[in-house]
Amino acid sequence: VGRGTLSLLPRILAAGGHRRAVVITDQRIEPLYGARVTAELEAAGHDPLLLTHPCGDDAKSLASLGRLYDAALADGIERDDAVVALGGGVVGDLAGFFAATFLRGLPVVQVPTSLVAMVTASVGGKVGVNHAGVKNLIGAFHQPVAVVVDVDTLATLPPREHRSGLGELVTVGVLGAPEVFEALEAPDPPDLVPLVEAAVRCKQQLVEADPLDRLDIRAKLNLGHTFGHALESLSGYQLSHGEAVAIGLGIATRLAARLGRCDPGLPERVRRVLRRHDLPTTVEGPQPWEVLAAMRSDKKRRGGRLRWIVPEAIGRVAIVDESEVPPGLLREVLADTLGGGLP
Ligand SMILES: NC(=O)c1ccc[n+]([C@@H]2O[C@H](COP(=O)([O-])OP(=O)(O)OC[C@H]3O[C@@H](n4cnc5c(N)ncnc54)[C@H](O)[C@@H]3O)[C@@H](O)[C@H]2O)c1
């Protein structure tokens, strides 16, 4: 994690003994960074193959994957070659899944260029594509051999995408990196390098303790996400991922306070940080029962009970099962957030 670290890529590939590089990116990133990265890899003798797909979540599809396989096959990509995923979370998930499956697995270097991808998507090895209208239905765990974060690339990130990443950053701060939360509370604009580094370390520790997401350790990363995913899909994806997670974080914190699991002042402290970074804390439209139904249908698909990660303090979270939450209380907490209340 640093500034100007994109230039490290040729050395990282050489250190891993990789011959060629398949650089996968999207149409917005290609002119910004794709040309530069491929030129540097070319100069170092890695004979890069640059593959570009359209922007947006629709690109995370089996059709895109098919085009990547065809291009890699036609170009003679082999097992000791490496994949470089250069872009936001969409590129990371698609290129990562390509790497997990082509020739039964190529090494992947994740090079996140969006704040969401830097803070969450590039670390942890979850890769995949959407299918039949279901997000991330088909996927794998494929840990990157390296993650290279060049914070300078954020200079070109659109403001709304930047805000979306800040939503994830605040959430990581609450779930396990208090220094990140406190820096985002301070009035001065934060230096993102140490914050991204701390967020990555926090996620790394949880992932290393529970790489396949089976032990309720990695699940802590879902803080704000169970509510957030429901709101994101009910908005028809008009809310960005980070915006939905920010609102979800607010709901989880209010739930914790109502259950007596955290200091009663914590919801207001979290709300102030979210507002400081122009993140929403309420949303008009969905009804509490719709949010509950959306969470339930998501859970049904995953074959589990409804449960939420809630903060007990800044930097500490717990898991709350639906049996511990009176239904009336949950509806009240949701009603506070939906369609009015404080901004
Ligand atoms: N694998 C995981 O653990 C994980 C975790 C969180 C999210 N995700 C996935 O990540 C995706 C969301 O990621 P995202 O928010 O990065 O979205 P994204 O990849 O769609 O990027 C958002 C937009 O910003 C552009 N962009 C990215 N970096 C830029 C830069 N430096 N300069 C200019 N434009 C830039 C992209 O081209 C895109 O148009 C979703 O598909 C989500 O499912 C995966």
Side-chain angles (χ1 to χ4, degrees):
V1 182
R3 295 188 180 277
T5 48
L6 276 188
S7 301
L8 297 175
L9 279 169
R11 263 192 280 162
I12 288 172
L13 289 194
H18 305 302
R19 206 175 53 96
R20 297 191 59 200
V22 187
V23 179
I24 300 177
T25 193
D26 75 22
Q27 282 168 351
R28 191 181 286 173
I29 307 295
E30 183 193 318
L32 292 169
Y33 307 107
R36 171 182 151 197
V37 163
T38 41
E40 288 180 3
L41 289 170
E42 188 122 40
H46 289 293
D47 187 16
L49 168 66
L50 178 65
L51 301 177
T52 304
H53 58 75
C55 297
D57 224 72
D58 288 349
K60 266 173 57 174
S61 67
L62 290 175
S64 306
L65 202 57
R67 285 190 284 275
L68 295 178
Y69 294 143
D70 290 345
L73 181 66
D75 212 65
I77 294 302
E78 295 176 5
R79 289 203 63 186
D80 54 357
D81 299 333
V83 175
V84 174
L86 175 69
V90 166
V91 172
D93 282 8
L94 175 66
F97 191 54
F98 165 79
T101 47
F102 190 68
L103 300 177
R104 293 204 183 85
L106 302 181
V108 61
V109 179
Q110 290 282 355
V111 188
T113 61
S114 73
L115 192 51
V116 166
M118 290 178 185
V119 172
T120 64
S122 61
V123 181
K126 284 189 181 176
V127 295
V129 296
N130 308 325
H131 187 60
V134 182
K135 271 192 66 98
N136 305 321
L137 183 70
I138 300 171
F141 285 97
H142 189 58
Q143 296 295 344
V145 290
V147 181
V148 179
V149 179
D150 188 341
V151 173
D152 280 346
T153 59
L154 296 178
T156 53
L157 189 68
R160 189 162 180 218
E161 301 298 343
H162 195 88
R163 271 202 305 281
S164 187
L166 283 170
E168 291 278 9
L169 202 50
V170 173
T171 306
V172 175
V174 175
L175 74 88
E179 69 277 31
V180 170
F181 185 86
E182 282 154 19
L184 294 170
E185 256 182 331
D188 308 320
D191 175 1
L192 284 174
V193 173
L195 298 198
V196 171
E197 197 167 351
V200 167
R201 247 178 241 300
C202 171
K203 180 158 184 188
Q204 182 188 359
Q205 275 169 8
L206 295 172
V207 165
E208 281 178 357
D210 181 13
L212 300 180
D213 202 3
R214 297 232 163 98
L215 305 176
D216 276 354
I217 298 173
R218 194 170 171 157
K220 292 179 181 174
L221 294 164
N222 289 335
L223 174 64
H225 285 71
T226 310
F227 295 111
H229 284 149
L231 293 170
E232 196 181 3
S233 92
L234 285 169
S235 78
Y237 295 90
Q238 293 303 301
L239 280 174
S240 74
H241 182 71
E243 288 168 344
V245 167
I247 300 169
L249 171 64
I251 299 173
T253 313
R254 276 198 293 280
L255 181 61
R258 291 291 301 274
L259 290 169
R261 302 289 289 257
C262 72
D263 183 291
L266 193 63
E268 177 54 20
R269 195 173 161 202
V270 168
R271 193 190 72 84
R272 272 205 308 269
V273 175
L274 294 173
R275 294 303 300 146
R276 177 185 294 285
H277 296 285
D278 287 329
L279 285 156
T281 54
T282 65
V283 58
E284 297 277 345
Q287 298 298 311
W289 66 267
E290 290 178 302
V291 178
L292 275 165
M295 287 191 293
R296 220 172 274 294
S297 77
D298 195 37
K299 261 296 151 209
K300 208 161 155 194
R301 205 169 37 73
R302 289 161 203 265
R305 293 168 60 80
L306 260 186
R307 30 189 231 154
W308 299 278
I309 311 299
V310 299
E312 293 186 321
I314 297 300
R316 197 176 77 239
V317 288
I319 299 176
V320 168
D321 188 272
E322 66 177 318
S323 62
E324 299 171 66
V325 183
L329 188 146
L330 185 60
R331 272 197 299 274
E332 273 173 45
V333 170
L334 286 169
D336 280 351
T337 307
L338 308 170
L342 294 167

